[in-house]
Amino acid sequence: MFTQSDLSTLIKAAPGRGVSIFLPTHVSGPQTRQDPIRFRNLLTEAHTALLAAGASKTEARELLAPAEALIEDYPFWQHRDQGLALFLGADGTQYRHRVPLELTEQVVVGSDFYVKPLLPLLAADGEFAVLTMTAEGAHLYSASRFAMTEDYDGGLPGSPTDNLDDDRQNRVQATPAARPHTGGRTSASTQAYGVTPTDWRKTTLEEWTGKVAAAVDRHLTDTAIPLVLVADPEMTGQFKKRTTLGPLLAGTVDTNPAALTGPKLHAAAYEVVRPRFEAAQRAAVEHAAQLLADSPTRVAVTIGEVVRAAFQGRVESLLVTQGAAEWGRFDEMTDAVETHSEPGTSVIDLAEYAIVRTLEHKGAIYLLAAEQIEGLFPASIAAPAAIAVLRF
């Protein structure tokens, strides 16, 4: 899954000359055979664009060589998602991202990599975590409204069965003085704790649930990402008693996650958290409307003001018309902004720049339909492509 870390890698890269290629791909079916052909056509377009940008034929050929090699790479085309984003740098850097997003065919050549088509994956209306728990173990996932991938950095404990087996072995091998007193009863149901195996297993599962809760709390508390728990009602109740996430626990799906396929698990979890995202978006729009009416100095509406505020880390939330582009140049040394009507040499998408800088400074991004932005202004005023709510 494309993450904030992936975005940071791309925007911090300094390829000198970069080629960004975006291709919609097919997950299955006969159309998949067309993907390498369409990819080859985009490489031809990229070669032409590189020559137009001043690269020699040799430079263009060498820069695109890693991508050319992919055309005949059969295994590469067997592992696909809805979109492919490929970034090639003149310095030899190469980044590939398969994404659950229907991208538009596009080639961009510039001094840096062009990341705007991927930014919907990082908008504020979709990042959350999913925790599944069964008697076989726990799994943590990073998710968005588009996809879900397992997160192996959560530090979750092993399965409760492992804990039971280890605990039973330790107690059986203990010295007589260390073994629990069983009151002289010979029943196997009392050899470990002096209680029945059912009680023993219940106690161990509760302890294991506490360890899972502690690990998830440590992993998510600083991120402020909501969590959806998928487990049977008994485990759900035990987890709720032990977690400190509070309102970050967005809700639960009270069922055995083993009964759900990957897509169904993702869909069920997203339905739980979707109302929270929709409410956050409505609140962001309403807040911007209130500030426009009462405290206009807390809002930036011209692209120049928005870009400067984003660069300075002053944007709390950025409301952007989906697909909008604002071409121009921004001098970070002088804060000078100039706009252009179309792309050109050294011209960037200022809207993309503002989005990227806002994300870098932990601001929230809301990608809205044009009518949502337009509704904030009188009909006589042309609505801007972006509105920035400022921290200060």
Side-chain angles (χ1 to χ4, degrees):
M1 190 168 72
F2 188 74
T3 66
Q4 179 71 53
S5 177
D6 295 323
L7 176 66
S8 296
T9 297
L10 290 172
I11 62 179
K12 289 177 181 177
R17 176 176 281 124
V19 178
S20 307
I21 300 173
F22 303 94
L23 175 72
T25 53
H26 300 86
V27 177
S28 61
Q31 300 96 330
T32 59
R33 294 192 293 269
Q34 297 298 316
D35 292 344
I37 298 172
R38 290 163 47 240
F39 183 66
R40 186 195 298 274
N41 293 338
L42 288 179
L43 295 186
T44 299
E45 182 180 336
H47 187 273
T48 301
L50 283 167
L51 297 182
S56 68
K57 290 184 178 180
T58 299
E59 290 171 335
R61 185 168 57 252
E62 290 178 350
L63 197 158
L64 295 176
E68 294 281 356
L70 294 176
I71 295 175
E72 304 299 331
D73 187 343
Y74 180 79
F76 175 80
W77 295 102
Q78 299 313 299
H79 300 85
R80 52 177 69 85
D81 210 319
Q82 291 176 278
L84 170 66
L86 179 65
F87 302 90
L88 302 169
D91 59 353
T93 53
Q94 179 186 166
Y95 304 97
R96 307 176 200 166
H97 294 284
R98 293 183 176 90
V99 296
L101 195 62
E102 293 186 8
L103 301 171
T104 300
E105 288 190 20
Q106 189 175 11
V107 172
V108 179
V109 173
S111 57
D112 299 307
F113 294 132
Y114 185 68
V115 299
K116 189 176 181 182
L118 301 180
L119 294 177
L121 296 168
L122 300 177
D125 61 346
E127 187 179 6
F128 63 105
V130 179
L131 174 67
T132 65
M133 295 177 63
T134 70
E136 301 301 318
H139 297 273
L140 187 65
Y141 299 88
S142 295
S144 72
R145 59 192 171 106
F146 300 103
M148 184 175 74
T149 59
E150 189 152 7
D151 181 352
Y152 295 100
D153 296 327
L156 299 183
S159 74
T161 304
D162 291 341
N163 292 350
L164 283 169
D165 292 343
D166 292 344
D167 189 54
R168 183 188 294 271
Q169 187 69 20
N170 290 338
R171 291 179 179 274
V172 168
Q173 293 178 352
T175 63
R179 292 177 188 166
H181 177 62
T182 62
R185 288 179 291 181
T186 59
S187 169
S189 68
T190 61
Q191 75 174 45
Y193 289 112
V195 294
T196 66
T198 299
D199 290 338
W200 176 30
R201 179 173 293 272
K202 180 180 179 181
T203 298
T204 304
L205 286 173
E206 289 176 356
E207 292 175 353
W208 173 78
T209 300
K211 293 176 182 178
V212 172
V216 173
D217 289 355
R218 287 192 300 270
H219 189 56
L220 296 182
T221 297
D222 292 337
T223 65
I225 294 173
L227 172 72
V228 176
L229 172 62
V230 185
D232 64 45
E234 182 179 359
M235 281 192 169
T236 293
Q238 293 296 335
F239 183 88
K240 287 181 176 179
K241 291 178 182 178
R242 289 162 173 78
T243 184
T244 61
L245 290 176
L248 285 181
L249 181 58
T252 64
V253 179
D254 294 331
T255 189
N256 182 354
L260 300 175
T261 62
K264 289 184 177 179
L265 177 63
H266 173 235
Y270 184 66
E271 280 305 302
V272 171
V273 81
R274 181 166 59 90
R276 174 178 292 212
F277 293 141
E278 292 175 347
Q281 185 183 91
R282 286 195 301 271
V285 173
E286 291 170 0
H287 185 46
Q290 181 179 4
L291 291 176
L292 284 168
D294 302 333
S295 305
T297 58
R298 285 280 312 283
V299 187
V301 294
T302 69
I303 192 62
E305 294 172 334
V306 169
V307 166
R308 293 186 191 96
F311 172 66
Q312 295 162 3
R314 296 192 295 120
V315 178
E316 176 182 286
S317 60
L318 186 64
L319 283 58
V320 186
T321 301
Q322 185 122 21
E326 290 278 352
W327 301 106
R329 296 188 179 94
F330 174 54
D331 188 328
E332 295 180 351
M333 298 297 293
T334 64
D335 265 358
V337 177
E338 59 180 67
T339 59
H340 293 254
S341 59
E342 59 186 24
T345 304
S346 299
V347 172
I348 65 171
D349 182 348
L350 296 173
E352 178 207 27
Y353 179 93
I355 293 172
V356 168
R357 298 305 174 210
T358 297
L359 288 171
E360 278 190 306
H361 292 289
K362 310 300 182 184
I365 302 296
Y366 296 95
L367 301 178
L368 307 176
E371 55 268 24
Q372 290 177 284
I373 297 287
E374 292 167 357
L376 297 174
F377 297 87
S380 58
I381 298 178
I387 300 172
V389 173
L390 307 180
R391 293 186 172 112
F392 55 91

